[in-house]
């Protein structure tokens, strides 16, 4: 169903010969519901005389199936009169047709229920033929999105904030690609700053070449901890009035970082080794999550010239000012009371996190001319990003209107059993093992899984991801291994189970695909089957809506709703053991459900399993 002609041909087969009215906002080739929208809008336009561009968007999707497949709030049409009376009047005038059942007036609303036969014919073939593309749209065609996410710090612990940024960022990348955008995935490493000086100093004092090569992330982290402990001990001494022998760690670190900022070859060479080794290791870990970055950028990569240029603009425009030898921006003076003050250059001339972000943003626009740039960063950095965007705006960098901060709340209690600082790798391992234990409890099923460890690993990752994406992004949540690895409730394993079960029905029914594709869909009649069908038809709308909310939960919640309807249909809508023509039709429905589930899971970053 690639063209409008195909849709028209399908309608003809249903005996609908009137041409489908064309609406610009409708995407009838990618979204079956838009076919119904177009028809209903046209009839409502004829009945009410209200213009088409008001009627069409007034046809809204519903949260609950009892409210109809589409619902219209009469006041949205802005027609004079009592809305309740108008609803009754319009409903009475609605012509008999094959698209929908007679509409229902409910107070000031009109509920529209699709004719199940028509819906089945328009939806199931569309799902089966589009397969992995069902749900996708092309609204982003020709547009480019730069999505910055994960953005871990080299030599500092990977924390829950990075986990969330990684999961949500990967999801958004998939979503935008699915909707036709060209997506550039960028990891903006925390690979610069005084911390690096500290690390280098410690490495030179007590580092190990061998350990660095073996597991760079682990070793750099150890050095980071040692160096920070030393620095802390020194500070305590100073507080207690004691004098230090020799230079302090902090002074040495500052001096080292200054050498880096001045591009001194030796200082840079060591830093570059740390960076390169860390990236190699990071890539491996991201691969476990099916993530591949297009670009490993980082704070170190921001050009000094760009930052100098930014600094000049800020000075000329009176955005920045001198303060005791440093340069600062006093946002209050520019009318942004809540943003306080920010330093953009230290006394010794070195740059800061914010300074580098300003330069990075300018360079990214220069290089990629993106249509949108998304920063997936914890809400703990709300202020930082507001300051960044405000400075860019004050500087007259118009591209700032294309910049978006996608934020998220905290995760409590993300620790491994040993309680140590967590690395992404160890979290994945640990949840995978926990999953494996859960699977072993069902001996019968466990025996049938060929590669239980691999499956446990995959389901474990689903557990982590779904837990992360179940609530609204801004909500905090506790990292709860027991809860997330459960097969009951709204969990990743539950979704995987639903997928595996559909695969098993397909295997057991053993009906050749061509017969499924040509099944007589009018045999789908049970209320449970129709509920499922109506839910499957919503998927393209769910995707469009997710593009607006940028909330993974929009999809996750849809999936929980869909899989619940699915599981309550099995009792009644049997495939195996049913008469052949009926079995084929039902299999077409379940194969459609599997396709939707699989597409959605992949968008979320999960790998659907076939057995578990
Ligand atoms: N590396 C930073 C951190 O771990 C996050 C970077 C966010 N992105 C940005 N452009 N500032 O806190």
């Amino acid at each position: 169903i690639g063209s409008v002609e195909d849709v028209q041909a399908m309608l003809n087969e249903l005996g609908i010969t009137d041409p489908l009215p064309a609406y610009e906002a409708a995407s009838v080739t990618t979204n079956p519901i838009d076919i119904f929208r177009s028809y209903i809008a046209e009839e409502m336009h004829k009945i009410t005389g209200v213009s088409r561009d008001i009627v069409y968007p007034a046809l809204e999707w519903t949260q609950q199936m009892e409210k109809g497949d589409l619902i219209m709030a009469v006041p949205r049409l802005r027609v004079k009169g009592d809305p309740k009376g108008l609803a009754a009047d319009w409903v009475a005038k609605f012509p008999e047709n094959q698209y929908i059942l007679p509409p229902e007036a409910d107070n000031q609303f009109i509920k529209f229920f699709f004719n199940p036969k028509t819906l089945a014919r328009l939806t199931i073939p569309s799902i089966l033929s589009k397969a992995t593309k069902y749900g996708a749209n092309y609204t982003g065609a020709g547009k480019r999105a730069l999505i910055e996410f994960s953005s871990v710090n080299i030599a500092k612990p990977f924390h829950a904030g990075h986990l969330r940024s990684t999961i949500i960022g990967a999801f958004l990348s998939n979503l935008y690609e699915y909707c036709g955008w060209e997506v550039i995935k960028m990891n903006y490493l925390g690979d610069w700053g005084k911390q690096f000086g500290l690390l280098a100093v410690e490495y030179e004092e007590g580092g190990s070449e061998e350990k660095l090569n073996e597991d760079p992330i682990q070793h750099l982290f150890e050095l980071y901890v040692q160096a920070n402990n030393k620095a802390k001990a020194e500070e305590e001494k100073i507080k207690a009035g004691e004098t230090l022998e020799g230079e302090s760690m902090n002074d040495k670190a500052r001096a080292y970082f200054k050498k880096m900022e001045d591009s001194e070859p030796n200082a840079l060479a060591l830093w570059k080794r740390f960076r390169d080794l860390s990236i190699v290791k990071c890539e491996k870990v991201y691969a476990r999550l099916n993530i591949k970055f297009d670009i490993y950028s980082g704070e170190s990569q921001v050009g000094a010239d760009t930052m100098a240029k930014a600094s000049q603009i800020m000075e000329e425009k009176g955005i920045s000012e001198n303060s005791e030898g440093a340069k600062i921006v006093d946002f209050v003076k520019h009318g942004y009371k809540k943003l306080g003050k920010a330093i953009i250059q230290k006394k010794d001339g070195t740059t800061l996190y914010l300074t580098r972000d300003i330069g990075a943003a300018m360079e990214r626009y220069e290089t990629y001319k993106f249509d949108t740039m998304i920063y997936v960063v914890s809400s703990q950095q709300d202020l930082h990003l507001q300051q960044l965007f405000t400075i860019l705006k004050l500087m007259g960098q118009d591209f700032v209107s294309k910049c978006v901060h996608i934020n998220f709340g905290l995760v409590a209690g993300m620790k491994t059993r040993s309680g140590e600082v967590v690395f992404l790798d160890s979290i994945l391992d640990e949840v995978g093992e926990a999953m494996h234990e859960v699977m072993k409890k069902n001996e019968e099923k466990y025996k049938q899984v060929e590669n239980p460890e691999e499956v446990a690993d995959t389901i474990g990752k689903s557990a982590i991801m779904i837990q992360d994406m179940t609530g609204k992004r801004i909500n905090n949540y506790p990292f709860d291994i027991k809860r997330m690895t459960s097969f009951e409730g709204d969990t990743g394993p539950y979704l995987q189970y639903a997928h595996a079960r559909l695969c098993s029905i397909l295997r057991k029914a053993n009906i050749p695909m061509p017969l499924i594709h040509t099944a007589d869909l009018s045999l789908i009649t049970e209320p449970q089957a129709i509920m499922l069908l109506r839910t499957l038809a919503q998927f393209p709308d769910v995707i469009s809506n997710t593009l607006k909310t940028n909330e993974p939960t929009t999809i996750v919640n849809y999936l929980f709703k869909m899989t619940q309807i699915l599981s309550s249909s099995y009792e009644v809508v049997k495939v195996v053991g049913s008469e052949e023509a009926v079995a084929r039709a039902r299999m077409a429905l379940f194969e459609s459900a599997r396709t939707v589930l699989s597409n959605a899971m992949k968008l979320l970053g999960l790998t659907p399993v076939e057995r578990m």
Side-chain angles (χ1 to χ4, degrees):
I1 305 137
S3 68
V4 179
E5 287 72 42
D6 292 344
V7 172
Q8 198 67 56
M10 204 126 95
L11 292 171
N12 287 344
E13 275 175 44
L14 283 161
I16 301 174
T17 46
D18 286 346
L20 186 68
Y23 277 78
E24 213 184 315
S27 175
V28 295
T29 54
T30 58
N31 186 348
I33 288 186
D34 280 359
I35 303 175
F36 295 88
R37 275 204 182 90
S38 304
Y39 169 76
I40 299 170
E42 190 65 13
E43 292 306 319
M44 288 306 287
H45 158 70
K46 285 194 230 154
I47 293 168
T48 63
V50 175
S51 77
R52 293 184 167 88
D53 52 325
I54 293 184
V55 177
Y56 189 88
L59 287 166
E60 291 186 276
W61 58 304
T62 62
Q63 288 288 359
Q64 290 127 16
M65 306 246 103
E66 313 85 73
K67 297 217 167 125
D69 292 300
L70 289 169
I71 193 162
M72 177 183 268
V74 170
R76 282 201 54 172
L77 299 198
R78 287 176 257 153
V79 172
K80 278 209 194 83
D82 159 42
K84 210 174 150 180
L86 288 172
D89 179 36
W90 293 344
V91 159
K93 287 185 181 143
F94 208 96
E96 214 178 288
N97 68 88
Q98 292 194 61
Y99 286 95
I100 59 168
L101 307 174
E104 294 171 18
D106 181 356
N107 222 324
Q108 43 179 304
F109 291 94
I110 302 180
K111 298 171 174 175
F112 301 93
F113 290 88
F114 302 153
N115 177 330
K117 285 218 161 51
T118 309
L119 185 64
R121 281 293 285 115
L122 292 179
T123 305
I124 293 179
S126 179
I127 300 176
L128 296 179
S129 67
K130 288 191 196 312
T132 57
K133 288 281 173 212
Y134 175 71
N137 63 59
Y138 306 99
T139 49
K143 291 194 275 186
R144 179 181 279 172
L146 196 161
I147 306 187
E148 186 223 289
F149 64 103
S150 199
S151 300
V152 291
N153 300 324
I154 291 184
K156 276 204 226 168
F158 177 99
H159 53 68
H162 298 121
L163 176 72
R164 296 209 73 185
S165 174
T166 308
I167 292 175
I168 297 168
F171 160 68
L172 290 174
S173 306
N174 295 340
L175 176 72
Y176 278 71
E177 257 166 34
Y178 209 50
C179 297
W181 290 73
E182 179 199 345
V183 175
I184 300 172
K185 286 173 277 191
M186 178 183 276
N187 198 328
Y188 180 69
L189 299 171
D191 57 358
W192 204 243
K194 198 197 93 190
Q195 287 297 335
F196 251 91
L198 200 61
L199 196 68
V201 170
E202 184 62 27
Y203 181 74
E204 284 178 349
E205 282 178 13
S208 147
E209 174 77 32
E210 207 185 304
K211 283 190 191 161
L212 184 67
N213 287 326
E214 219 165 80
D215 190 347
I217 293 187
Q218 176 67 32
H219 188 50
L220 291 177
F221 176 66
E222 283 161 11
L223 294 174
Y224 166 86
V225 174
Q226 283 170 26
N228 275 293
N229 285 343
K230 280 191 196 167
K232 226 185 258 156
E234 289 172 352
E235 269 164 37
E236 311 250 291
K237 266 194 181 173
I238 296 171
K239 255 195 220 149
E242 287 172 49
T243 43
L244 301 178
E245 304 154 28
E247 239 187 321
S248 75
M249 282 300 279
N250 269 320
D251 284 340
K252 283 190 254 179
R254 246 188 298 275
Y256 197 99
F257 180 51
K258 179 83 174 113
K259 283 198 265 179
M260 286 165 59
E261 288 253 272
D262 293 342
S263 315
E264 208 184 89
N266 281 338
L268 283 187
L270 182 60
W271 158 83
K272 191 167 181 314
R273 273 198 68 205
F274 290 171
R275 183 180 199 269
D276 291 347
L277 288 168
S278 301
I279 291 177
V280 172
K281 171 81 189 186
C282 279
E283 281 181 323
K284 280 191 203 137
V285 183
Y286 288 128
R288 282 184 77 176
L289 294 170
N290 304 328
I291 298 169
K292 196 169 182 304
F293 283 96
D294 299 303
I295 298 161
Y296 281 88
S297 156
E299 294 177 40
S300 68
Q301 306 297 302
V302 185
D305 47 340
T306 313
M307 287 188 282
K309 188 174 130 203
S311 170
Q312 198 193 337
I313 300 175
M314 284 191 266
E315 215 163 309
E316 281 168 10
K317 296 208 170 191
I319 302 164
S320 63
E321 59 192 87
N322 289 324
S323 169
E324 298 169 28
K327 282 188 195 163
I328 65 156
V329 174
D330 184 348
F331 291 95
V332 183
K333 282 188 190 162
H334 300 287
Y336 298 90
K337 278 198 202 116
K338 286 187 191 142
L339 301 189
K341 283 182 194 169
I343 307 178
I344 49 164
Q345 195 178 63
K346 286 199 215 163
K347 265 186 272 188
D348 62 3
T350 53
T351 61
L352 292 104
Y353 182 45
L354 180 60
T355 332
R356 297 190 278 274
D357 254 329
I358 298 168
M362 291 166 69
E363 288 180 352
R364 289 180 199 174
Y365 189 65
E366 184 69 28
T367 314
Y368 302 109
K369 293 279 182 288
F370 48 74
D371 296 282
T372 187
M373 169 155 70
I374 300 177
Y375 292 84
V376 190
V377 185
S378 150
S379 60
Q380 285 175 307
Q381 296 194 29
D382 281 357
L383 178 64
H384 171 76
L385 282 140
Q386 279 166 24
Q387 289 179 335
L388 169 64
F389 292 174
T390 305
I391 289 176
L392 292 170
K393 192 164 140 197
L394 292 170
M395 285 172 71
Q397 304 286 317
D398 293 336
F399 71 80
V400 70
S401 63
K402 303 174 195 285
C403 298
V404 192
H405 175 203
I406 293 295
N407 60 359
F408 49 81
L410 304 172
V411 187
M414 196 175 86
K415 292 194 214 76
T416 51
R417 250 173 311 211
S418 49
E420 288 163 27
V421 180
V422 271
F423 296 99
L424 179 51
D425 238 355
S426 21
I427 304 167
L428 300 182
D429 287 345
E430 185 151 330
V431 177
E433 281 157 28
M435 204 64 245
H436 198 178
E437 293 307 314
V438 178
M439 281 167 64
K440 277 185 197 159
K441 285 188 189 140
N442 189 334
E443 273 175 50
E444 270 309 301
K445 276 215 186 104
Y446 185 78
K447 270 189 262 162
Q448 291 172 27
V449 184
E450 262 170 56
N451 41 354
E453 251 134 62
E454 198 185 313
V455 172
D457 196 62
T458 305
I459 305 176
K461 287 181 284 191
S462 310
I464 299 174
M465 291 189 195
I466 292 299
Q467 160 168 273
D468 192 274
M469 297 192 278
T470 295
K472 280 211 169 153
R473 291 191 325 260
I474 200 67
N475 295 347
N476 304 336
Y477 71 84
F479 196 80
D480 184 344
I481 296 192
K482 192 155 187 248
R483 158 110 187 68
M484 74 171 101
T485 53
S486 163
F487 284 106
E488 272 141 51
D490 294 346
T491 64
Y494 174 73
L495 293 181
Q496 288 285 14
Y497 171 74
H499 185 266
R501 180 155 184 190
L502 286 167
C503 291
S504 135
I505 295 176
L506 190 63
R507 278 191 304 265
K508 284 195 191 123
N510 199 18
I511 304 172
M513 253 323 151
L515 295 184
I516 295 175
H517 279 239
T518 51
D520 175 2
L521 301 173
S522 69
L523 296 172
I524 297 175
T525 52
E526 303 67 29
Q528 288 86 345
I530 290 165
M531 279 277 263
L532 179 58
L533 170 66
R534 290 168 63 202
T535 314
L536 300 178
Q538 292 172 343
F539 187 53
D541 259 10
V542 170
I543 298 287
S544 309
N545 195 36
T546 310
L547 267 184
K548 290 186 200 133
T549 62
N550 285 317
E551 288 279 4
T553 182
T554 310
I555 292 180
V556 173
N557 272 321
Y558 165 78
L559 281 188
F560 288 142
K561 186 176 87 175
M562 193 272 268
T563 47
Q564 262 151 31
I565 294 173
L566 183 64
S567 76
S568 63
S569 71
Y570 290 132
E571 265 304 299
V572 193
V573 192
K574 291 215 156 66
V575 178
V576 181
S578 292
E579 192 258 315
E580 204 175 308
V582 174
R584 280 182 208 165
R586 291 178 176 179
M587 199 60 243
L589 176 68
F590 286 134
E591 176 57 12
S592 299
R594 195 202 57 77
T595 303
V596 169
L597 183 54
S598 165
N599 292 359
M601 287 169 80
K602 284 184 194 153
L603 272 181
L604 293 166
L606 277 52
T607 307
V609 300
E610 295 185 4
R611 278 176 213 265
M612 63 188 270

